[in-house]
Amino acid sequence: MQLGPEGALVAGGNAIRGTRVGAGPMGEAERGEAAPRHRVGYWCSQAHETRVAFAADAEIPELWDCPRCGLPAGQDAQSPPPAPRTEPYKTHLAYVRERRSDADGDALLEEALAKLRARRGA
Ligand SMILES: [Zn+2]
């Protein structure tokens, strides 16, 4: 009996194919990800964009609470819903950004840099 290296390779190849590498729970998970979904964008009045994936048969809400600042976000980026007077919550950063205009921010930055330069010069 003479079994050459080619014969051994064929036998090995058949064995590998028999195990169906790649099938199983992982393959099922990938099919689950491919299920039809609606991706909906929401924008709050502070221009935060939130993308929410809904199942194809899910009811898509008109408004969505912005996860970054808690303000209501709508599907129209150009006209987000106005912030209500009583807000669910507001982060410190959102509070600071709201109170401080861009000009104030630049002035504060200049002030900080001036102090830094003065400290270095001393
Ligand atoms: Zn927001």
Side-chain angles (χ1 to χ4, degrees):
M1 179 175 171
Q2 283 190 344
L3 186 62
E6 286 182 18
L9 280 173
V10 170
N14 285 339
I16 288 169
R17 271 195 290 277
T19 61
R20 292 174 55 82
V21 173
M26 290 295 284
E28 284 166 23
E30 281 169 19
R31 279 197 295 278
E33 287 295 316
R37 282 170 187 237
H38 292 303
R39 282 203 163 268
V40 182
Y42 291 94
W43 290 265
C44 74
S45 58
Q46 295 195 57
H48 297 143
E49 182 180 349
T50 306
R51 296 234 163 232
V52 186
F54 294 98
D57 59 350
E59 200 173 310
I60 295 176
E62 193 177 328
L63 297 178
W64 192 264
D65 285 343
C66 175
R68 292 173 65 180
C69 66
L71 295 177
Q75 294 175 43
D76 186 351
Q78 302 308 315
S79 57
R85 288 193 177 276
T86 53
E87 293 162 14
Y89 74 86
K90 190 187 285 184
T91 65
H92 178 68
L93 188 60
Y95 180 77
V96 170
R97 279 178 180 162
E98 194 172 273
R99 288 292 300 272
R100 191 187 290 170
S101 70
D102 286 346
D104 287 342
D106 287 345
L108 286 169
L109 184 63
E110 278 303 314
E111 193 181 313
L113 285 173
K115 280 181 186 171
L116 198 64
R117 290 192 195 102
R119 208 176 300 163
R120 278 179 181 170

